Amino acid sequence: MDRIRIVGGERLEGTISISGAKNAALPLMIASLLTSDTLTLKNVPRLADVTLLARILGNHGVDITVAGKRAGQRNGDGQTVKLTAEEIVDTTAPYEMVARMRASFWVLAPLLARCGEAKVSLPGGCAIGTRPVDLHLAALKALGAQIDLEGGYVIARAPKGLTGNRVPLAKVSVGATHNSLMAAVLARGDTIIENAAREPEVADLALCLVEMGAKIDGIGTSTLLVEGVTSLHGAEHTVLPDRIETGTYAMAAAITGGEVFLDGARADLLQEALQLLRATGVEIVESPSGIKVSRNGGGLSAVSVETQPFPGFPTDLQAQLMALMCMAKGTSQVRETIFENRFMHVQELARLGARIELKGDTALVTGVNDLRGAQVMATDLRASVSLIIAGLAAQGETLIGRVYHLDRGFERIEEKLGQCGAHIERLSG
Ligand code: UD1
């Protein structure tokens, strides 16, 4: 199993290009199931989750081609992926696949909407809480699907097609909003999705669906109005930049007291996080081509935060912010309100010398002057990158095990950080 070795203490300086958003690319790829035409996606990140989803979609009959690098394209440019689901050959998503990536559960709605039936295994994914799918199933039932649970599978049927309806989501859920949207666009009549997630990745999916011929109003708000159409057609869509990757590298620059330009980052996608970083003493300069993050000489101040659905502070940046707070002056309170059990990085950060006390859903982080390198283990996608952030600032060598979690969501992380002066390498085997 690969490990990552970091020798900390170097200031990050340079430019990091921001990849396409994993959390947008996955639902966009899944949307290809809704049409027999070709959906062309540009700026798709090169990630293990994207490769795995391509295999899963391949099982359903989607033809996928990845365009080669063209002249003039830079290494950091994302790939162009063409997906054609001319014929759905299998409406079953088996346990072996869905258990490896929770987002693949979202094939349920488009398969059901297009074929009138789908059998999808209950999901797995990061071990960050129980992560049920009740909201997804309630939404599909509201649109007229018959849902049965059998042997760990969801069996959904709507032989005469889905019918538009009111879909009140009891809790804000990104995945349930994706599923509701993909079901509603091909349903007969109008659907109102209430309490929809407002995450930019949901808006990106909705915009792509509109480019495919769907009729959706209220994009970017918590009420989505969908007028069903009988079929969708092909389209070309560019995946929006990854706000979580952006925030992660911003915190990496901040902890090392460096200066990094995040090329292609969009500040409007993470206002709350940038405000918080400013409050810690980091300088942020927003421009149309990216975001410059610098901390030249000044110390870091502790800030307190609570994770919230968009536009609040994202749960996917909680572990990274906690790593930063490990070296801030004072005590910071980090409250996780989206997922239970999303503090697995705490004990690993403690191995590096962090002072963190857990009280229910809140972590109290008291900054220390120095972190020290140690052997640590990645436990989930975002937790693993918090260990990299802490390792960059720690004295001596940090060895991170189980980095496959990292490869699911961060493209060429050693290369991107290495280019800015970090001593970081991958040890194979
Ligand atoms: C997505 C993101 C993930 C992010 C999360 C919250 C992708 C691939 N993943 O995950 O990175 O951390 O949004 O921003 O885009 N819930 C229920 N019942 C349901 C569905 C969800 O109770 O049927 C709960 C969850 O347990 C959680 C909360 O709702 O407490 C939010 O989860 P949700 O937004 O659905 O997360 P995902 O879509 O799985």
Side-chain angles (χ1 to χ4, degrees):
M1 257 196 274
D2 287 3
R3 287 180 303 166
I4 293 229
R5 175 176 178 270
I6 300 175
V7 180
E10 296 298 326
R11 203 172 159 262
L12 288 185
E13 200 167 343
T15 295
I16 294 179
S17 64
I18 298 303
S19 298
K22 169 182 90 78
N23 285 358
L26 300 179
L28 287 166
M29 290 171 71
I30 290 173
S32 70
L33 290 167
L34 288 164
T35 173
S36 55
D37 289 350
T38 299
L39 175 65
T40 302
L41 297 176
K42 292 179 158 178
N43 200 32
V44 176
R46 295 170 171 83
L47 295 171
D49 269 9
V50 166
T51 312
L52 178 60
L53 181 60
R55 283 211 349 248
I56 295 172
L57 293 174
N59 278 354
H60 296 301
V62 185
D63 259 335
I64 302 180
T65 56
V66 179
K69 207 167 137 190
R70 298 216 185 86
Q73 262 190 331
R74 299 166 307 169
N75 242 353
D77 292 342
Q79 46 190 354
T80 296
V81 180
K82 287 181 185 289
L83 305 103
T84 314
E86 198 173 346
E87 199 187 332
I88 304 289
V89 296
D90 192 346
T91 54
T92 300
Y95 172 77
E96 306 78 71
M97 295 288 187
V98 186
R100 289 176 62 190
M101 183 183 26
R102 183 179 163 87
S104 61
F105 181 74
W106 304 342
V107 300
L108 180 63
L111 288 175
L112 175 66
R114 179 151 163 210
C115 307
E117 58 168 42
K119 181 178 172 187
V120 177
S121 167
L122 288 162
C126 279
I128 49 172
T130 46
R131 303 185 85 172
V133 292
D134 53 324
L135 301 170
H136 299 246
L137 303 186
L140 296 179
K141 276 187 197 163
L143 297 175
Q146 184 200 321
I147 305 277
D148 295 297
L149 294 180
E150 248 178 64
Y153 279 80
V154 175
I155 301 173
R157 292 186 193 91
K160 293 187 184 139
L162 295 165
T163 313
N165 197 356
R166 214 182 122 227
V167 177
L169 294 173
K171 186 173 177 183
V172 178
S173 157
V174 172
T177 309
H178 286 320
N179 244 332
S180 306
L181 253 181
M182 288 193 277
V185 286
L186 288 183
R188 220 174 306 108
D190 296 343
T191 296
I192 303 182
I193 305 170
E194 294 167 1
N195 200 26
R198 284 182 287 161
E199 268 65 6
E201 295 75 22
V202 172
D204 209 33
L205 171 69
L207 289 173
C208 178
L209 291 170
V210 168
E211 287 152 12
M212 294 166 74
K215 294 189 176 157
I216 306 170
D217 265 343
I219 295 176
T221 75
S222 54
T223 308
L224 296 168
L225 305 165
V226 185
E227 186 186 330
V229 295
T230 48
S231 67
L232 296 180
H233 50 73
E236 188 176 295
H237 182 83
T238 302
V239 179
L240 88 175
D242 197 316
R243 64 195 165 101
I244 304 304
E245 191 195 27
T246 304
T248 300
Y249 289 129
M251 294 192 209
I255 204 168
T256 67
E259 180 165 316
V260 171
F261 182 67
L262 303 169
D263 192 13
R266 267 178 54 189
D268 59 309
L269 304 182
L270 69 172
Q271 279 305 326
E272 171 97 14
L274 295 181
Q275 274 314 104
L276 207 71
L277 273 177
R278 285 191 176 101
T280 68
V282 176
E283 195 185 325
I284 312 266
V285 181
E286 303 173 12
S287 76
S289 57
I291 304 174
K292 194 174 95 180
V293 181
S294 48
R295 181 169 70 86
N296 294 314
L300 281 168
S301 312
V303 288
S304 289
V305 71
E306 186 174 294
T307 60
Q308 286 294 337
F310 191 85
F313 185 82
T315 173
D316 286 353
L317 283 176
Q318 179 256 103
Q320 297 88 316
L321 181 80
M322 200 184 293
L324 183 64
M325 290 299 97
C326 289
M327 295 203 70
K329 195 163 185 298
T331 298
S332 129
Q333 281 191 30
V334 180
R335 179 161 177 248
E336 174 58 58
T337 73
I338 309 288
F339 292 112
E340 73 234 50
N341 196 20
R342 205 176 200 184
F343 281 140
M344 287 175 295
H345 42 286
V346 167
Q347 61 189 36
E348 300 301 308
L349 288 170
R351 295 176 60 80
L352 299 171
R355 277 181 58 197
I356 307 174
E357 193 189 336
L358 276 184
K359 283 195 175 157
D361 63 1
T362 302
L364 297 173
V365 188
T366 303
V368 295
N369 288 332
D370 293 306
L371 294 173
R372 290 173 313 276
Q375 282 199 32
V376 290
M377 204 157 58
T379 49
D380 72 56
L381 174 53
R382 310 301 175 187
S384 47
V385 85
S386 77
L387 302 175
I388 291 205
I389 292 176
L392 289 172
Q395 289 174 7
E397 180 183 271
T398 296
L399 271 177
I400 305 174
R402 299 200 179 159
V403 295
Y404 53 84
H405 287 294
L406 211 57
D407 295 332
R408 290 188 41 212
F410 289 91
E411 182 179 326
R412 299 177 296 112
I413 191 164
E414 316 90 273
E415 196 185 314
K416 290 190 184 191
L417 288 170
Q419 278 168 357
C420 290
H423 285 172
I424 177 168
E425 63 179 332
R426 182 177 291 252
L427 310 174
S428 295

